[in-house]
Amino acid sequence: MDERVTLRSHLDQAVQDAPNAPAVAAVIEAVAAASIRLAVLIADGPLAGITGRHSGINPDGDLQKDIDVAADEMMRRALRMAPVAAILSEESELPEMLDAEAPLCVAIDPLDGSANLENNISIGTIFSIRPRGNDVLSTFFEPGTAQCAAGFVVYGPQTILVLAMNQSVDIFILDRLAREFLLIAQGVKIAPNTPEFAINASNHRHWHGPVRAYIDECLAGSNGGGADFNMRWIGSLVAESLRILVRGGVFLYPADARPGYREGRLRLLYEAHPMALVMEWAGGAATTGRRRILELAAKTPHQRVPLIMGSVRGVRDVAVIHEGIEPMFDHSDAPLFARRGLFR
Ligand code: FBP
């Protein structure tokens, strides 16, 4: 891209007649500013006193590291200065109520995948913005289609901001010296049919029939009459999502038979909903296998959900396998319920 477009000028140019446009821009700028500070802290790590030690347990029972707590504080501090009525963070049980008259509510995972930090693997911030309803709290329990913008930041070799706004997905890179994000890709579209999948295959024995059937088909490759698939698994949702935007493929974190994973692992409000918005606005798709993620409404703040997302072809194939198997057999792990021949 020849012209140097900053995040700020991009937001200024964004369609101003969209409802709440200035407020949405202010929230995105707040998250972006906090993420620039967080990127510095992450990069400095032990030099800045980040030890990686656990400092508590979050509402979902996950161990919190010192960097999780720091990230949460940084994001909250920034959002308290923005036009936000309430923040729902992964790191606290209930939403934090701010200005009840403010037009927006934000769900945020301040630092997803922080367990990867000690290995120097990419981690990130995920955010979801929605217009406040008449009742502030019930805003979070609207379906994902209520989101007006969403995105994520990847703290990796480069710090990257992916932004879904006005039906478009745009990518920015942090100019570390200038301390601002610059546009590097506009109107990103996910390749529709990349033969690449990402799943934590160590859980194979716990998967239910439809997921096992899909992965078995991928692994059979040309021997099974289909395409030869490549596999990736980083164990970091933001890194997997960025890879899908760049080169396509399908990501699966399904429900499985392990205690605590019956509804999947990832959280609906600040992981699946925002990623689903990014995927769909980039021409991809996101499903539980049976239902479009964006049509789901959370019943509890930290509800988990199976997430299958990415290239339309891969997501459709997973959904087709589910269609061929009665939901009552979803929880069967018997290969009997695996239907063969998807790619033939
Ligand atoms: P946290 O929300 O606990 O940080 O975990 C989320 C996550 O790290 C995702 O980024 C990633 O997709 C997944 O967990 C990895 O799970 P697993 O450890 O089962 O491979």
Side-chain angles (χ1 to χ4, degrees), residues 15-289:
V15 188
Q16 287 302 310
D17 50 65
N20 293 328
V24 172
V27 168
I28 292 166
E29 281 201 80
V31 171
S35 76
I36 294 173
R37 294 189 285 275
L38 182 53
V40 173
L41 187 63
I42 288 168
D44 285 349
L47 303 176
I50 296 298
T51 62
R53 271 199 290 275
H54 296 133
S55 53
I57 293 185
N58 76 10
D60 247 10
D62 296 335
L63 290 171
Q64 271 177 325
K65 288 171 173 284
D66 50 5
I67 189 72
D68 290 317
V69 175
D72 188 49
E73 280 169 6
M74 289 165 112
M75 290 296 159
R76 279 177 196 279
R77 216 176 300 136
L79 288 169
R80 284 179 193 134
M81 312 291 286
V84 175
I87 308 169
L88 172 68
S89 165
E90 183 188 20
E91 302 304 336
S92 54
E93 191 173 352
L94 295 172
E96 176 183 344
M97 306 300 286
L98 300 174
D99 173 5
E101 298 303 315
L104 301 171
C105 289
V106 177
I108 190 160
D109 186 347
L111 195 57
D112 184 74
S114 60
N116 291 309
L117 181 54
E118 60 193 284
N119 304 324
N120 200 11
I121 289 172
S122 299
I123 52 183
T125 298
I126 309 170
F127 60 93
S128 156
I129 306 173
R130 21 179 102 206
R132 171 183 56 77
N134 290 338
D135 172 43
V136 175
L137 274 184
S138 62
T139 305
F140 292 110
F141 304 109
E142 296 288 325
T145 45
Q147 295 172 104
C148 50
F152 60 93
V153 180
V154 185
Y155 310 102
Q158 302 154 349
T159 297
I160 295 285
L161 167 67
V162 173
L163 181 60
M165 194 181 71
N166 295 338
Q167 307 273 333
S168 174
V169 174
D170 307 316
I171 302 184
F172 301 80
I173 188 169
L174 176 62
D175 176 339
R176 286 169 202 264
L177 288 181
R179 290 177 70 88
E180 63 186 359
F181 282 101
L182 298 179
L183 185 65
I184 51 171
Q186 199 163 11
V188 173
K189 291 291 168 212
I190 298 171
N193 188 19
T194 302
E196 186 163 272
F197 68 91
I199 192 166
N200 184 343
S202 69
N203 298 322
H204 182 275
R205 68 192 180 286
H206 305 296
W207 296 337
H208 305 312
V211 170
R212 219 186 258 204
Y214 176 73
I215 297 299
D216 287 350
E217 294 271 357
C218 294
L219 294 175
S222 47
N223 287 345
D228 286 323
F229 271 69
N230 189 29
M231 196 206 85
R232 286 284 183 273
W233 181 250
I234 305 172
S236 170
L237 182 59
V238 293
E240 318 270 9
S241 303
L242 182 60
R243 187 192 60 247
I244 287 173
L245 287 173
V246 171
R247 64 185 206 192
V250 61
F251 166 95
L252 304 92
Y253 211 118
D256 67 43
R258 288 173 293 165
Y261 289 78
R262 301 280 164 142
E263 305 303 328
R265 172 182 172 121
L266 301 173
R267 273 50 66 109
L268 180 57
L269 283 173
Y270 41 81
E271 291 178 319
H273 271 165
M275 288 309 182
L277 197 78
V278 169
M279 293 294 141
E280 288 206 5
W281 285 3
T287 175
T288 63

